[in-house]
Amino acid sequence: MSERKVLQKYYPPDFDPSAIERRRGPKQTGPKQQTVRLMAPFSMKCTSCGEYIYKGRKFNARKETTDEKYYAISIFRFYIRCTRCSAEITFKTDPKHMDYTCERGAKRNFEVWRADKLAEETDEERLDRVAREEEERDAMKDLEKKTNDARTEMAIADALDEVRTRNAMRERADGEGVLNSVAVPTRDEEAERVEREIEGMARRAFQSGTGEKVRRLDEEIELLDSPVVEEVRRVDSASAEDRAAMPPPPPSTFQRQVKKKKDLGAVLGIKKAAPALGIDAYDSD
C-alpha cells in the first residue's frame, strides 16, 4: 500500500512531459452549479418509494443559483437523491419566510408550528394588502363624493344669503313704517331751528379774520368781575409782599478769594528770629 501523503513521485525513464496534451472540458451551459455537502433542512417523504428522510441527514448535493430574487437576496436550488431509490429531490431557499420550499421528488412532513406561522399575516403581507385595497378603490367615486359635498356647501351658502336678504328687507320696511308714523314737527320745534340758525350766523359774524372769536364788552366786564380773577389778583399781591419782605440774595461773584493762613508758630509758642542785618549796615559802621 502506497503512502498517503506522497512527497516524491516516481517517473519512469521513458516519461515525456511534452507528450501530455492539455484538454479542456466543455463549458457549462445553463445555471451555475457546484457540488456541496449539506444536511436535509426538513423532514420529508420520497414520493417514489415512500422512504422517510429525517431532518439533518447528510447529502452530497448540487447547488444551483436561480434567476429568482427576493429583493436583493438570491434564491438557491439544491438537488439530492433518495437514499433508497436514488430518485432526484429538489428544494430551494425561501428568504421571505426564512425557510426552505420543497419543489419535487418529495413531500414535506406536517409541522404544527410551521402551519401556525404561515397562517399569521406578516408586516409585508399587511402592507401589500393595504396597497392592493387602495388601488382597488374607485377614484371616480371619490371625485363624485367631493363634487356632491361642494354642491351641498354652495346650496347652504345660497340659502343663508337669501335668509339674510329677507331679514334686511323686513328691517328696512319696519324702519320706513316707523318714520311714516312719526308726527309732523310742531311750531315750537320750527322756532328752535330758526333760532339756532340765527345764532350760527351771529357767531360767524363776530369772528375775526384769523378765526378768533371777538368778545363783547359785557362779556369782558363779566370776566373781570368773576371770582377767579379776584383770586388771581389776591395771590399776585401776596407774592409781591413776600418779595418786598425778603430782600434778594447778593449777586454771585466769580472772583477767587485768597484764604488767610493761620499763624501756627504763635499757637505752638515758637518765636520767630530777628531779621539779619544787611551788608550795607556793616559798611556804614
Side-chain angles (χ1 to χ4, degrees):
M1 185 174 179
S2 62
E3 187 180 357
R4 186 171 65 87
K5 292 184 179 180
V6 180
L7 300 179
Q8 295 181 356
K9 295 183 179 181
Y10 172 75
Y11 294 98
D14 58 347
F15 175 72
D16 185 9
S18 61
I20 301 175
E21 298 180 359
R22 298 182 62 182
R23 295 181 181 179
R24 294 183 179 180
K27 292 185 178 181
Q28 185 178 358
T29 59
K32 182 181 179 181
Q33 292 185 358
Q34 58 181 353
T35 303
V36 294
R37 182 77 171 173
L38 57 78
M39 293 186 293
F42 50 83
S43 300
M44 64 188 82
K45 178 183 177 182
C46 179
T47 55
S48 299
C49 62
E51 177 72 10
Y52 283 96
I53 301 173
Y54 58 88
K55 178 180 178 180
R57 189 162 187 176
K58 295 183 179 181
F59 290 93
N60 292 325
R62 289 181 292 116
K63 177 184 175 183
E64 175 183 310
T65 304
T66 62
D67 298 334
E68 303 175 14
K69 282 192 176 183
Y70 177 74
Y71 293 106
I73 303 174
S74 301
I75 295 178
F76 302 99
R77 183 180 286 111
F78 300 93
Y79 299 87
I80 61 175
R81 291 191 175 274
C82 177
T83 56
R84 184 177 179 183
C85 64
S86 299
E88 191 176 56
I89 301 172
T90 62
F91 56 88
K92 63 180 181 180
T93 58
D94 185 12
K96 181 178 180 180
H97 299 95
M98 295 180 291
D99 202 358
Y100 291 84
T101 304
C102 187
E103 288 188 321
R104 57 185 174 86
K107 183 180 179 182
R108 185 168 182 171
N109 295 340
F110 177 75
E111 296 170 346
V112 179
W113 64 268
R114 183 170 175 270
D116 296 339
K117 185 178 180 181
L118 293 176
E120 295 178 358
E121 186 180 22
T122 61
D123 296 339
E124 184 180 354
E125 293 176 352
R126 189 179 300 107
L127 293 175
D128 294 340
R129 178 175 56 79
V130 172
R132 193 164 50 252
E133 290 177 357
E134 290 180 356
E135 291 177 358
E136 292 176 357
R137 186 180 301 169
D138 192 1
M140 293 302 295
K141 288 184 179 180
D142 296 341
L143 180 60
E144 185 178 357
K145 183 179 180 181
K146 291 180 181 179
T147 306
N148 293 335
D149 294 342
R151 191 180 293 110
T152 304
E153 291 178 0
M154 292 176 64
I156 293 171
D158 293 342
L160 289 174
D161 292 340
E162 186 177 355
V163 171
R164 292 194 189 99
T165 305
R166 192 182 302 113
N167 293 339
M169 293 176 63
R170 187 179 295 111
E171 290 177 0
R172 191 182 299 111
D174 294 343
E176 291 178 357
V178 171
L179 291 176
N180 294 332
S181 62
V182 174
V184 180
T186 58
R187 184 66 180 175
D188 297 338
E189 296 177 357
E190 194 69 24
E192 291 179 359
R193 184 178 62 80
V194 173
E195 187 176 355
R196 284 197 299 271
E197 291 179 359
I198 294 172
E199 289 180 358
M201 293 172 64
R203 190 180 300 105
R204 287 192 297 272
F206 283 103
Q207 284 182 351
S208 63
T210 58
E212 185 180 0
K213 183 179 178 182
V214 180
R215 294 182 178 179
R216 292 179 296 181
L217 186 59
D218 54 355
E219 291 182 357
E220 293 181 358
I221 294 172
E222 290 177 359
L223 182 61
L224 293 174
D225 295 337
S226 62
V228 177
V229 175
E230 293 180 359
E231 184 68 21
V232 172
R233 290 174 181 174
R234 187 177 61 79
V235 172
D236 291 342
S237 61
S239 60
E241 293 177 359
D242 294 340
R243 285 195 299 271
M246 182 182 298
S252 59
T253 59
F254 297 96
Q255 295 179 359
R256 184 176 180 181
Q257 295 180 1
V258 180
K259 190 175 181 180
K260 187 177 180 181
K261 294 183 179 181
K262 293 182 179 181
D263 191 3
L264 300 177
V267 174
L268 299 175
I270 300 173
K271 295 182 179 180
K272 291 184 179 181
L277 297 176
I279 298 173
D280 297 339
Y282 289 103
D283 292 342
S284 60
D285 293 340

